[in-house]
Protein backbone atom coordinates (compact mmCIF):
# COMPACT_ATOMS: atom_id res chain seq x y z
CA UNK A 1 0.00 0.00 0.00
CA UNK A 2 1.31 3.48 -0.86
CA UNK A 3 1.98 6.02 1.87
CA UNK A 4 -0.94 8.45 1.69
CA UNK A 5 -0.03 10.35 4.86
CA UNK A 6 0.39 13.57 2.87
CA UNK A 7 -3.35 13.62 2.14
CA UNK A 8 -5.94 15.11 4.50
CA UNK A 9 -7.87 12.38 6.32
CA UNK A 10 -11.20 13.12 4.61
CA UNK A 11 -9.66 12.39 1.21
CA UNK A 12 -7.93 9.12 2.12
CA UNK A 13 -10.98 7.05 1.13
CA UNK A 14 -11.19 8.86 -2.20
CA UNK A 15 -7.52 8.18 -2.87
CA UNK A 16 -7.84 4.51 -1.98
CA UNK A 17 -10.99 3.95 -4.06
CA UNK A 18 -10.48 6.31 -7.01
CA UNK A 19 -6.77 7.09 -6.96
CA UNK A 20 -4.53 9.80 -5.63
CA UNK A 21 -5.02 11.86 -8.79
CA UNK A 22 -8.72 12.30 -8.08
CA UNK A 23 -8.05 13.36 -4.48
CA UNK A 24 -5.41 15.86 -5.62
CA UNK A 25 -7.72 17.22 -8.31
CA UNK A 26 -10.42 17.72 -5.67
CA UNK A 27 -7.94 19.69 -3.57
CA UNK A 28 -6.78 21.69 -6.58
CA UNK A 29 -10.26 22.71 -7.74
CA UNK A 30 -12.21 22.87 -4.48
CA UNK A 31 -9.52 23.29 -1.79
CA UNK A 32 -10.65 25.45 1.11
CA UNK A 33 -14.33 25.20 0.17
CA UNK A 34 -17.35 23.33 1.37
CA UNK A 35 -18.72 21.35 -1.56
CA UNK A 36 -22.11 19.65 -1.77
CA UNK A 37 -22.08 16.35 -3.61
CA UNK A 38 -25.53 15.49 -4.91
CA UNK A 39 -26.64 11.91 -5.46
CA UNK A 40 -26.14 12.41 -9.20
CA UNK A 41 -23.07 14.15 -10.67
CA UNK A 42 -23.37 17.73 -11.83
CA UNK A 43 -22.15 18.85 -15.25
CA UNK A 44 -19.18 20.55 -13.55
CA UNK A 45 -18.09 17.31 -11.85
CA UNK A 46 -18.47 15.34 -15.08
CA UNK A 47 -16.40 17.93 -16.93
CA UNK A 48 -13.63 17.81 -14.31
CA UNK A 49 -13.52 14.07 -13.61
CA UNK A 50 -15.38 12.27 -16.38
CA UNK A 51 -18.59 10.25 -16.05
CA UNK A 52 -17.29 7.26 -14.09
CA UNK A 53 -15.21 9.16 -11.53
CA UNK A 54 -17.88 11.85 -11.02
CA UNK A 55 -20.47 9.13 -10.36
CA UNK A 56 -18.08 7.41 -7.94
CA UNK A 57 -17.48 10.68 -6.07
CA UNK A 58 -21.22 11.25 -5.74
CA UNK A 59 -21.63 7.68 -4.53
CA UNK A 60 -18.79 8.15 -2.00
CA UNK A 61 -20.02 11.49 -0.58
CA UNK A 62 -23.66 11.08 -1.70
CA UNK A 63 -25.96 13.90 -0.69
CA UNK A 64 -23.76 15.59 1.86
CA UNK A 65 -21.57 18.66 1.99
CA UNK A 66 -17.89 18.15 2.75
CA UNK A 67 -15.09 20.58 3.41
CA UNK A 68 -12.29 19.93 0.94
CA UNK A 69 -9.03 20.93 2.62
CA UNK A 70 -6.39 22.70 0.59
CA UNK A 71 -3.53 20.82 2.26
CA UNK A 72 -1.33 23.89 2.69
CA UNK A 73 -0.62 23.32 6.39
CA UNK A 74 0.77 19.85 5.75
CA UNK A 75 3.00 21.14 2.95
CA UNK A 76 4.19 24.04 5.09
CA UNK A 77 5.01 21.71 7.98
CA UNK A 78 7.14 19.57 5.64
CA UNK A 79 8.85 22.65 4.18
CA UNK A 80 9.62 24.04 7.65
CA UNK A 81 11.02 20.67 8.72
CA UNK A 82 13.19 20.36 5.63
CA UNK A 83 14.59 23.87 5.97
CA UNK A 84 15.22 23.42 9.70
CA UNK A 85 17.03 20.15 8.97
CA UNK A 86 19.32 22.10 6.64
CA UNK A 87 20.24 24.36 9.55
CA UNK A 88 18.11 27.43 8.81
CA UNK A 89 16.77 29.35 11.80
CA UNK A 90 13.12 30.35 12.21
CA UNK A 91 13.74 33.90 10.96
CA UNK A 92 15.29 32.68 7.69
CA UNK A 93 12.57 30.06 7.23
CA UNK A 94 9.84 32.67 7.80
CA UNK A 95 11.40 35.06 5.31
CA UNK A 96 11.87 32.31 2.71
CA UNK A 97 8.30 30.95 3.02
CA UNK A 98 6.62 34.34 3.45
CA UNK A 99 5.05 33.47 6.80
CA UNK A 100 5.58 34.76 10.33
CA UNK A 101 8.27 33.46 12.68
CA UNK A 102 5.50 32.63 15.11
CA UNK A 103 3.82 30.42 12.50
CA UNK A 104 7.16 28.74 11.75
CA UNK A 105 7.57 27.90 15.45
CA UNK A 106 3.98 26.65 15.63
CA UNK A 107 4.51 24.34 12.66
CA UNK A 108 7.90 23.15 13.91
CA UNK A 109 6.55 22.37 17.37
CA UNK A 110 3.33 20.72 16.21
CA UNK A 111 2.98 17.10 17.26
CA UNK A 112 3.76 14.61 14.51
CA UNK A 113 0.92 13.01 12.59
CA UNK A 114 -0.82 10.08 14.20
CA UNK A 115 1.12 6.85 13.82
CA UNK A 116 -0.56 3.85 12.30
CA UNK A 117 -1.74 1.24 14.76
CA UNK A 118 -0.63 -1.48 12.36
CA UNK A 119 2.50 -0.50 10.40
CA UNK A 120 2.83 -1.96 6.93
CA UNK A 121 3.00 -5.71 7.30
CA UNK A 122 3.68 -6.58 3.68
Amino acid sequence: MNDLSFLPEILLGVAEELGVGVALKLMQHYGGQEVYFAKKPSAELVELFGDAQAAALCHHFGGQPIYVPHGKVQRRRQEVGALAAKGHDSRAIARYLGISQRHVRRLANAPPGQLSLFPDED
Side-chain angles (χ1 to χ4, degrees):
M1 181 177 181
N2 293 336
D3 180 25
L4 300 175
S5 61
F6 66 93
L7 283 174
E9 188 174 331
I10 194 161
L11 297 178
L12 287 176
V14 173
E16 290 171 353
E17 288 180 34
L18 304 174
V20 174
V22 174
L24 292 175
K25 191 181 275 191
L26 271 173
M27 288 172 59
Q28 180 183 5
H29 287 282
Y30 298 112
Q33 301 175 39
E34 186 172 272
V35 180
Y36 177 78
F37 287 89
K39 302 252 184 203
K40 294 182 180 181
S42 66
E44 180 183 8
L45 273 181
V46 171
E47 185 178 326
L48 283 173
F49 296 100
D51 288 325
Q53 289 179 337
L57 280 169
C58 288
H59 177 73
H60 188 77
F61 294 117
Q64 61 181 337
I66 65 156
Y67 174 76
V68 179
H70 47 63
K72 290 181 182 177
V73 172
Q74 185 69 20
R75 277 195 306 267
R76 286 288 191 218
R77 187 172 291 129
Q78 291 170 350
E79 291 171 336
V80 166
L83 290 169
K86 290 181 181 178
H88 297 286
D89 65 358
S90 63
R91 174 182 254 167
I93 294 170
R95 189 173 44 244
Y96 179 76
L97 296 177
I99 58 178
S100 71
Q101 267 185 281
R102 182 178 180 191
H103 194 54
V104 168
R105 286 191 303 270
R106 197 176 314 135
L107 291 172
N109 295 327
Q114 184 174 359
L115 297 174
S116 174
L117 185 59
F118 302 102
D120 289 336
E121 298 177 1
D122 293 330

